[in-house]
Amino acid sequence: MQASRARLFKEYKEVQREKSADPDIQLICDDSNIFKWTALIKGPSETPYEGGVFQLAFAIPEQYPLLPPQVRFLTKIFHPNVHFKTGEICLDILKNAWSPAWTFQSVCRAIIALMAHPEPDSPLNCDSGNLLRSGDIRGYQSMARMYTRLAAMPKKG
Amino acid sequence: MDSPVPATLARAPARPQARAGEEACADTRQDAPAEAEPPPRRPAAFYSSVFAQIEEIGWKQLVSATGDGVSCLTFRVVDEPGRMHLLEITLPMGYPESPPSISADVPYLPKIHWSKNSRLKDVICQFQAHLKILQEFWNTMDEIDKVLWIVDPTKPSYAMSHRRIALGDDCYILLQVDARKPNSLPECRFLGTDGKLDQLIINWRKNRKKWDTKKKFHENLAAVLDFALPSPPSVGDKAKDDEQADCGICYAKHLPVDDELGAHSGCATDYMCENPSCSRAFHSVCLRDWLRSITTTRQSFDVLFGNCPYCSDPVAVKITGH
C-alpha cells in the first residue's frame, strides 16, 4: 500500500508537469482518492472514432504496480475489443502482459493504438467483431462512427 | 490549466446577479420538518456573498472547495520569488461575525485581523504579507540546502525548519532554525560516534557567542565549529548516477523506513539491469516482489530468475530474509 501510494504520487506529479506534452491524453486524479483516476483520450485520426473524446476510468489495485490498473471505457464505443455495456477493454498489457514499466500515460497511448487497430479475433463486442471478420469494413466503420457521434461528441446547439 | 471546480460546488445556490456588498436578506425558513435538532444551515446570502468574494479574488486561484459546498476554500497564492503555496480558509458557522481560520505549509501562521466587514481578499492579502516576512527564512534554508550536505529531510517542505547536516565520518549536526530570526544562533544537537564529536561539541560551546547575525548562516556555522563543512555530494558521474537513480518499479530513490523491510529499510536502489541499453535501477526488494507476482519466474535455490520489466533481458535476484 505504501509503495503503491508513493508511486502514484510520483505519477501524479509527472502528469501535472507534462500537462501539455500530449494533446491527445488528459489524465485526472480523483480529488480525494489517489487510487481513482479518469482519463480523456481523443479518438485517433483516420478512424471512425476521429473527433470523439472518450472517457476512461482507472481503478488502481493496492498491489499496483505489481498488478495492472483496471481500465474501462465510460463513454460508449463500438469496438470489437471493448464490451459495449461495461466498457471493459481486452488488451494484453492490462492483463497477462502487464509490467511495472507501463504508466497511465503509456496505457492511454496503448488504448488509442487499440482503437486504431482493432483485433476482431478476441472480441468483447460480438457484433463489431463479426462485422470485421466477415469483411464488412464499411458496416463496422459506419456503426462505429454513428456511436462516436452519439456518445463521444459534444452536442451542438 | 486550473483544476476544475469540484461538483460539490454546484450544489450551492448561486444567483448570477450577486453583487459585492449586497445586503443580507432575512432567512425565510420554511416550516421545518418534525426532526430532532436539524443541522444548522447557512443563510442563502452566505453563498452569494462567498461567490462574490471568490470572484473578487479570482476563480483561477481557487483550487478546491469542500464542506457544505464552500465552507472550506483552498486558494493558490504565489509569493514574489515564485513559490507556490496553498492557503486553506475555513469559514466557521458563525461567519462573518466569527473570523475564518487558515492553514498553510508555513513554519508559523500569521494572526489574521478580522472584523465582520472584512472580506476573504483581506485574508489573502495578510497571508501574502506574511509570505513576504518569511522570505528571509526561506532564503536562509535554500542557501543551507545548496551549500551544505543535507541528509534529512531529503525533500523539505516550506514549513520545515530543521536540517540534519553531515559532517563526515558518520557525524551529523541536527539544526533547528528559528523561523522568526533565521540568522540567529540555531538550536543544535550532535549525532554520531563520540570520538569525533567531542571536539565539535567543545568548539560549539566555546565559540557560539561568536555567532554573527550579519554573516551568512553557513559561514557562521563553519566558524563556530572551527570545521570545514563538506559540500553536498555531487562528485563523479557514477556516484551521481547511484545517488539519483529511482527504482523502476516504485519510482522512489529510497525504500520507506519500515521494520518489515529489515536490513533493506530506507536503502537506495541496489540492482541494475545488465542490458547496456536499459541499465534501469531497482530496489532488489521491489524486483523480487515483481518477479514473485508473475507466473513466468523461475527459481533455483535462493535465486529468482526472470525478465527485466523494461527490456525483457534476463534478471536474477537473491531471495533474502523471510
Side-chain angles (χ1 to χ4, degrees), chain A:
Chain A
M1 167 68 85
Q2 189 172 355
S4 57
R5 187 183 295 273
R7 168 161 169 156
L8 287 167
F9 277 123
K10 292 280 182 83
E11 291 206 41
Y12 176 75
K13 278 193 246 176
E14 187 68 20
V15 161
Q16 295 299 308
R17 203 167 58 84
E18 308 246 350
K19 225 157 192 177
S20 55
D22 194 335
D24 294 344
I25 298 165
Q26 186 183 331
L27 279 153
I28 302 132
C29 178
D30 187 272
D31 274 350
S32 55
N33 187 355
I34 193 86
F35 291 92
K36 278 176 68 180
W37 294 54
T38 55
L40 297 170
I41 58 176
K42 282 188 188 175
S45 56
E46 294 176 36
T47 71
Y49 312 107
E50 180 170 13
V53 176
F54 298 85
Q55 191 177 13
L56 304 171
F58 285 70
I60 295 114
E62 282 184 16
Q63 296 85 1
Y64 178 82
L66 303 186
L67 290 180
Q70 292 157 32
V71 191
R72 65 188 184 90
F73 276 86
L74 293 175
T75 308
K76 288 294 181 190
I77 179 172
F78 188 79
H79 188 287
N81 305 114
V82 180
H83 195 289
F84 188 74
K85 283 185 177 176
T86 66
E88 185 195 343
I89 305 167
C90 182
L91 183 57
D92 58 350
I93 63 153
L94 295 177
K95 301 191 188 302
N96 51 284
W98 166 258
S99 148
W102 293 93
T103 64
F104 297 158
Q105 186 84 13
S106 53
V107 164
C108 289
R109 182 48 61 193
I111 291 168
I112 291 174
L114 181 69
M115 292 166 80
H117 303 97
E119 287 292 330
D121 291 335
S122 55
L124 282 174
N125 183 326
C126 293
D127 296 340
S128 180
N130 288 339
L131 282 173
L132 281 173
R133 276 203 301 254
S134 66
D136 189 359
I137 308 297
R138 280 188 57 195
Y140 153 74
Q141 288 186 349
S142 177
M143 288 286 285
R145 199 174 299 113
M146 183 190 78
Y147 276 106
T148 299
R149 203 173 298 125
L150 281 175
M153 290 183 179
K155 298 288 201 306
K156 296 175 183 174

Side-chain angles (χ1 to χ4, degrees), chain B residues 15-57:
Chain B
R15 283 179 283 166
Q17 298 85 13
R19 288 177 289 104
E22 186 177 38
E23 292 293 333
C25 57
D27 183 5
T28 59
R29 195 182 299 268
Q30 301 293 334
D31 293 334
E35 288 176 11
E37 197 70 36
R41 281 173 42 195
R42 311 271 195 174
F46 166 81
Y47 295 103
S48 50
S49 170
V50 170
F51 269 60
Q53 295 185 63
I54 293 173
E55 208 150 66
E56 210 169 87
I57 294 163

Side-chain angles (χ1 to χ4, degrees), chain B residues 250-315:
Chain B
C250 70
Y251 284 14
K253 291 180 176 53
H254 298 273
L255 286 170
V257 178
D258 194 333
D259 290 338
E260 270 189 29
L261 295 171
H264 291 277
S265 176
C267 81
T269 52
D270 51 357
Y271 187 93
M272 186 175 286
C273 177
E274 287 169 14
N275 180 350
S277 307
C278 180
S279 293
R280 182 62 74 149
F282 303 97
H283 301 116
S284 54
V285 169
C286 296
L287 191 54
R288 182 194 71 199
D289 285 348
W290 162 247
L291 292 177
R292 276 181 167 157
S293 72
I294 53 179
T295 56
T296 54
T297 298
R298 308 168 300 283
Q299 180 174 345
S300 179
F301 296 98
D302 63 345
V303 180
L304 293 172
F305 295 93
N307 302 97
C308 174
Y310 284 79
C311 69
S312 299
D313 265 26
V315 295

